Amino acid sequence: MCPRRLGVAQAFSDAGMRLALSYRNEKDKEQVAQWFAEQGREQPLFLKLDVTDRARFAAVAQEAFDHFGEVHVLVNNAGVSVFGPTDEATYDDFDWIMGVNFGGVVNGIVSFLPKLKASQGRRHVVNIASMAAFLPGPQAGIYTASKFAVRGLTESLRYNLAPHGIGCSLCCPALTRTNAWTSALKRPDGFGQSGFGEADADELAQFGTAFDAGMDPREVGDKILAGMTAQKALILTHPEHGPDFAEIYEASLAALPDEEAPPERLKIEELRREAMRKAEQGVAMSLGDLT
């Protein structure tokens, strides 16, 4: 279990929530169980899971629902941070990174949304992406693509869930004190044909020193809980990216053609905007509302 996920679990536990936590590594599970024991807290329901295993994900969702009787919050937070020149990437590189980072979110949504819809009270989905959902990099093409995909999916899903009374947030943390940099050393055998070459442990360890300066995972967890409670569509945890967003905004406006759009197109775009506003208010919209 990555430290950031533990930070979320700690924040949720402090808020009085009962937890089901997925894990892959037994040692990580033991460390988390130890924290809960030291705090005198109820132990989470631990569920062993590979997020790319759809059948297991469905079984985990059912087990959590049966155990608690309801499911109110889903946090999708699994991911691998693997970098290399995108122009040299193989199918295995794409399939592994996209399969975990985007496919894992898809599997969580498909498996758990029926359980949330069958539950009562306040419910929420939080999909954790990364600042890479806004900021591409020369060594992070596939990673960036996966986070852009999570961003687009989550922003659209929010409109679909509103009529069910279910909130939905996209969280994009930046540098956090985790061991995410070790992902490249854990490549599954089934995705062994990489165009990035063999991972250099020393180089990765040097890269990992940057994470030492990252935000404490518990602080990230607290900010996710606060954003979710406030029903925020977008949860940004790190303050240092103001210049990046200003540059994105200015470059986007500058790229728009300096010309008048025809009235017919303006009408369609205003219908789209109105449909989005209504959807966020909980009104179910259809294709017929867009023309």
Side-chain angles (χ1 to χ4, degrees):
M1 181 175 297
C2 79
R4 186 164 65 205
R5 197 180 312 172
L6 175 57
V8 176
Q10 291 170 333
F12 282 16
S13 178
D14 280 352
M17 298 170 67
R18 301 168 66 200
L19 305 177
L21 302 179
S22 68
Y23 72 97
R24 292 193 67 189
N25 185 286
E26 291 289 341
K27 184 177 179 181
D28 291 341
K29 171 191 170 183
E30 293 170 2
Q31 291 175 342
V32 173
Q34 181 179 353
W35 183 87
F36 276 86
E38 290 172 350
Q39 299 299 313
R41 304 283 176 81
E42 176 185 351
Q43 286 289 328
L45 172 65
F46 287 106
L47 299 164
K48 192 160 190 176
L49 175 67
D50 178 337
V51 298
T52 65
D53 186 337
R54 290 177 172 172
R56 177 58 185 158
F57 224 135
V60 159
Q62 188 63 52
E63 188 173 343
F65 188 78
D66 291 342
H67 181 83
F68 295 113
E70 291 188 308
V71 175
H72 296 106
V73 177
L74 169 66
V75 179
N76 287 308
N77 189 34
V80 290
S81 301
V82 183
F83 304 105
T86 312
D87 60 304
E88 298 178 8
T90 63
Y91 284 124
D92 277 0
D93 293 319
F94 278 94
D95 289 345
W96 177 36
I97 300 169
M98 292 297 297
V100 175
N101 293 2
F102 180 65
V105 173
V106 170
N107 294 342
I109 288 170
V110 172
S111 298
F112 270 94
L113 276 185
K115 311 305 181 187
L116 268 73
K117 290 179 179 179
S119 301
Q120 302 297 317
R122 190 167 181 177
R123 291 150 295 160
H124 208 95
V125 174
V126 180
N127 291 332
I128 299 180
S130 162
M131 278 305 299
F134 294 93
L135 307 176
Q139 288 287 309
I142 307 175
Y143 180 80
T144 298
S146 70
K147 300 305 181 180
F148 266 68
V150 171
R151 173 186 165 193
L153 172 63
T154 308
E155 291 181 354
S156 297
L157 182 64
R158 180 177 175 86
Y159 299 119
N160 301 130
L161 294 183
H164 298 279
I166 301 173
C168 186
S169 299
L170 170 70
C171 178
C172 295
L175 192 62
T176 304
R177 202 175 307 138
T178 72
N179 59 354
W181 58 273
T182 64
S183 299
L185 301 175
K186 302 174 183 178
R187 179 184 287 266
D189 293 338
F191 300 99
Q193 299 300 315
S194 174
F196 301 152
E198 186 175 350
D200 186 315
D202 293 335
E203 184 178 45
L204 284 172
Q206 175 59 38
F207 177 62
T209 60
F211 288 77
D212 296 337
M215 181 177 288
D216 185 275
R218 175 55 196 269
E219 183 178 353
V220 175
D222 288 334
K223 290 181 176 179
I224 290 172
L225 177 61
M228 182 184 78
T229 303
Q231 293 288 317
K232 288 186 176 181
L234 177 62
I235 302 171
L236 298 179
T237 56
H238 290 58
E240 54 263 37
H241 291 285
D244 298 298
F245 281 102
E247 184 176 344
I248 292 170
Y249 172 76
E250 292 167 2
S252 298
L253 285 182
L256 288 171
D258 185 15
E259 60 192 43
E260 292 291 331
E264 296 83 1
R265 296 209 314 256
L266 291 173
K267 178 183 176 181
I268 293 297
E269 294 309 320
E270 185 50 42
L271 286 172
R272 175 185 58 79
R273 295 186 189 103
E274 180 63 17
M276 291 170 65
R277 286 190 287 267
K278 289 182 177 179
E280 191 158 22
Q281 294 167 4
V283 179
M285 308 302 293
S286 67
L287 285 177
D289 298 302
L290 301 177
T291 56

Short mmCIF file of all heavy atoms in Angstrom, two decimals, residues 209-236:
data_model
loop_
_atom_site.label_atom_id
_atom_site.label_comp_id
_atom_site.label_asym_id
_atom_site.label_seq_id
_atom_site.Cartn_x
_atom_site.Cartn_y
_atom_site.Cartn_z
N THR A 209 15.13 10.68 -4.70
CA THR A 209 15.45 11.67 -3.68
C THR A 209 14.56 12.91 -3.80
O THR A 209 14.35 13.63 -2.83
CB THR A 209 16.93 12.10 -3.76
OG1 THR A 209 17.20 12.68 -5.06
CG2 THR A 209 17.86 10.90 -3.57
N ALA A 210 14.04 13.15 -5.00
CA ALA A 210 13.14 14.29 -5.18
C ALA A 210 11.87 14.11 -4.36
O ALA A 210 11.29 15.09 -3.87
CB ALA A 210 12.79 14.46 -6.66
N PHE A 211 11.45 12.87 -4.18
CA PHE A 211 10.21 12.60 -3.44
C PHE A 211 10.38 12.91 -1.95
O PHE A 211 9.37 13.09 -1.25
CB PHE A 211 9.79 11.14 -3.65
CG PHE A 211 9.25 10.87 -5.03
CD1 PHE A 211 10.11 10.74 -6.11
CD2 PHE A 211 7.89 10.74 -5.24
CE1 PHE A 211 9.63 10.49 -7.39
CE2 PHE A 211 7.39 10.49 -6.51
CZ PHE A 211 8.26 10.37 -7.59
N ASP A 212 11.62 12.95 -1.49
CA ASP A 212 11.85 13.29 -0.07
C ASP A 212 11.36 14.69 0.25
O ASP A 212 11.04 15.01 1.40
CB ASP A 212 13.33 13.16 0.27
CG ASP A 212 13.84 11.74 0.15
OD1 ASP A 212 13.01 10.80 0.24
OD2 ASP A 212 15.06 11.55 -0.02
N ALA A 213 11.32 15.55 -0.77
CA ALA A 213 10.86 16.92 -0.58
C ALA A 213 9.35 17.05 -0.75
O ALA A 213 8.81 18.16 -0.65
CB ALA A 213 11.57 17.86 -1.57
N GLY A 214 8.70 15.94 -1.01
CA GLY A 214 7.28 15.97 -1.31
C GLY A 214 6.40 16.24 -0.10
O GLY A 214 6.84 16.19 1.06
N MET A 215 5.14 16.53 -0.37
CA MET A 215 4.15 16.78 0.67
C MET A 215 3.90 15.49 1.47
O MET A 215 3.93 14.39 0.91
CB MET A 215 2.84 17.26 0.04
CG MET A 215 1.73 17.59 1.04
SD MET A 215 0.24 18.25 0.21
CE MET A 215 0.84 19.89 -0.24
N ASP A 216 3.68 15.65 2.77
CA ASP A 216 3.37 14.50 3.60
C ASP A 216 2.07 13.86 3.13
O ASP A 216 1.07 14.56 2.88
CB ASP A 216 3.23 14.93 5.06
CG ASP A 216 3.03 13.75 5.99
OD1 ASP A 216 1.88 13.31 6.14
OD2 ASP A 216 4.03 13.27 6.55
N PRO A 217 2.03 12.52 2.97
CA PRO A 217 0.82 11.87 2.46
C PRO A 217 -0.42 12.14 3.31
O PRO A 217 -1.53 12.20 2.78
CB PRO A 217 1.18 10.38 2.49
CG PRO A 217 2.67 10.35 2.38
CD PRO A 217 3.14 11.56 3.13
N ARG A 218 -0.24 12.31 4.61
CA ARG A 218 -1.39 12.60 5.45
C ARG A 218 -1.99 13.96 5.11
O ARG A 218 -3.23 14.13 5.15
CB ARG A 218 -0.99 12.53 6.93
CG ARG A 218 -2.10 12.93 7.89
CD ARG A 218 -3.36 12.09 7.65
NE ARG A 218 -4.52 12.69 8.28
CZ ARG A 218 -4.91 12.41 9.52
NH1 ARG A 218 -4.24 11.53 10.25
NH2 ARG A 218 -5.99 12.98 10.03
N GLU A 219 -1.15 14.93 4.77
CA GLU A 219 -1.67 16.24 4.38
C GLU A 219 -2.48 16.12 3.10
O GLU A 219 -3.53 16.76 2.95
CB GLU A 219 -0.52 17.23 4.20
CG GLU A 219 -0.99 18.64 3.85
CD GLU A 219 0.14 19.64 3.71
OE1 GLU A 219 1.30 19.28 4.03
OE2 GLU A 219 -0.13 20.78 3.28
N VAL A 220 -1.99 15.31 2.17
CA VAL A 220 -2.75 15.07 0.94
C VAL A 220 -4.09 14.44 1.28
O VAL A 220 -5.14 14.84 0.75
CB VAL A 220 -1.95 14.16 -0.02
CG1 VAL A 220 -2.79 13.81 -1.24
CG2 VAL A 220 -0.65 14.84 -0.46
N GLY A 221 -4.08 13.45 2.20
CA GLY A 221 -5.32 12.80 2.59
C GLY A 221 -6.31 13.77 3.20
O GLY A 221 -7.52 13.72 2.92
N ASP A 222 -5.83 14.67 4.05
CA ASP A 222 -6.70 15.66 4.68
C ASP A 222 -7.33 16.58 3.63
O ASP A 222 -8.50 16.95 3.72
CB ASP A 222 -5.92 16.50 5.70
CG ASP A 222 -5.58 15.71 6.96
OD1 ASP A 222 -6.31 14.75 7.29
OD2 ASP A 222 -4.58 16.08 7.63
N LYS A 223 -6.54 16.95 2.63
CA LYS A 223 -7.04 17.85 1.59
C LYS A 223 -8.05 17.13 0.69
O LYS A 223 -9.03 17.75 0.22
CB LYS A 223 -5.88 18.42 0.78
CG LYS A 223 -5.04 19.40 1.57
CD LYS A 223 -3.89 19.97 0.75
CE LYS A 223 -3.13 21.03 1.56
NZ LYS A 223 -1.99 21.60 0.81
N ILE A 224 -7.84 15.85 0.46
CA ILE A 224 -8.81 15.08 -0.32
C ILE A 224 -10.14 14.99 0.44
O ILE A 224 -11.21 15.19 -0.14
CB ILE A 224 -8.26 13.67 -0.62
CG1 ILE A 224 -7.12 13.77 -1.64
CG2 ILE A 224 -9.36 12.75 -1.14
CD1 ILE A 224 -6.38 12.47 -1.86
N LEU A 225 -10.06 14.70 1.73
CA LEU A 225 -11.28 14.62 2.53
C LEU A 225 -12.01 15.96 2.55
O LEU A 225 -13.24 16.01 2.39
CB LEU A 225 -10.93 14.19 3.96
CG LEU A 225 -12.11 14.13 4.94
CD1 LEU A 225 -13.15 13.12 4.48
CD2 LEU A 225 -11.61 13.80 6.35
N ALA A 226 -11.27 17.06 2.71
CA ALA A 226 -11.89 18.38 2.74
C ALA A 226 -12.54 18.71 1.40
O ALA A 226 -13.66 19.24 1.35
CB ALA A 226 -10.85 19.44 3.11
N GLY A 227 -11.84 18.41 0.31
CA GLY A 227 -12.40 18.69 -1.01
C GLY A 227 -13.62 17.86 -1.32
O GLY A 227 -14.61 18.34 -1.89
N MET A 228 -13.57 16.60 -0.93
CA MET A 228 -14.70 15.71 -1.13
C MET A 228 -15.91 16.19 -0.32
O MET A 228 -17.04 16.23 -0.80
CB MET A 228 -14.32 14.29 -0.70
CG MET A 228 -15.38 13.25 -0.89
SD MET A 228 -14.85 11.64 -0.26
CE MET A 228 -15.08 11.91 1.50
N THR A 229 -15.66 16.59 0.94
CA THR A 229 -16.73 17.07 1.80
C THR A 229 -17.37 18.32 1.24
O THR A 229 -18.59 18.52 1.35
CB THR A 229 -16.18 17.35 3.22
OG1 THR A 229 -15.58 16.15 3.73
CG2 THR A 229 -17.27 17.80 4.16
N ALA A 230 -16.57 19.16 0.62
CA ALA A 230 -17.07 20.41 0.01
C ALA A 230 -17.66 20.18 -1.38
O ALA A 230 -18.07 21.14 -2.04
CB ALA A 230 -15.95 21.43 -0.06
N GLN A 231 -17.69 18.93 -1.83
CA GLN A 231 -18.25 18.58 -3.14
C GLN A 231 -17.50 19.27 -4.29
O GLN A 231 -18.08 19.63 -5.31
CB GLN A 231 -19.73 18.93 -3.21
CG GLN A 231 -20.62 18.11 -2.29
CD GLN A 231 -20.77 16.68 -2.78
OE1 GLN A 231 -20.96 16.43 -3.97
NE2 GLN A 231 -20.69 15.71 -1.87
N LYS A 232 -16.19 19.44 -4.12
CA LYS A 232 -15.40 20.06 -5.18
C LYS A 232 -15.22 19.11 -6.35
O LYS A 232 -14.92 17.93 -6.15
CB LYS A 232 -14.04 20.50 -4.65
CG LYS A 232 -14.08 21.69 -3.71
CD LYS A 232 -12.68 22.14 -3.35
CE LYS A 232 -12.69 23.39 -2.49
NZ LYS A 232 -11.32 23.85 -2.16
N ALA A 233 -15.37 19.63 -7.55
CA ALA A 233 -15.13 18.82 -8.74
C ALA A 233 -13.64 18.55 -8.92
O ALA A 233 -13.23 17.48 -9.37
CB ALA A 233 -15.69 19.52 -9.97
N LEU A 234 -12.81 19.52 -8.56
CA LEU A 234 -11.36 19.42 -8.73
C LEU A 234 -10.69 19.70 -7.39
O LEU A 234 -10.94 20.74 -6.78
CB LEU A 234 -10.87 20.42 -9.78
CG LEU A 234 -9.36 20.50 -10.02
CD1 LEU A 234 -8.83 19.16 -10.53
CD2 LEU A 234 -9.04 21.61 -11.02
N ILE A 235 -9.85 18.77 -6.98
CA ILE A 235 -9.10 18.93 -5.73
C ILE A 235 -7.62 19.03 -6.09
O ILE A 235 -7.00 18.06 -6.54
CB ILE A 235 -9.32 17.74 -4.78
CG1 ILE A 235 -10.82 17.58 -4.46
CG2 ILE A 235 -8.52 17.91 -3.50
CD1 ILE A 235 -11.15 16.31 -3.70
N LEU A 236 -7.06 20.21 -5.91
CA LEU A 236 -5.63 20.43 -6.11
C LEU A 236 -4.99 20.59 -4.74
O LEU A 236 -5.42 21.42 -3.94
CB LEU A 236 -5.38 21.66 -6.98
CG LEU A 236 -5.94 21.60 -8.40
CD1 LEU A 236 -5.65 22.89 -9.15
CD2 LEU A 236 -5.38 20.41 -9.17
#
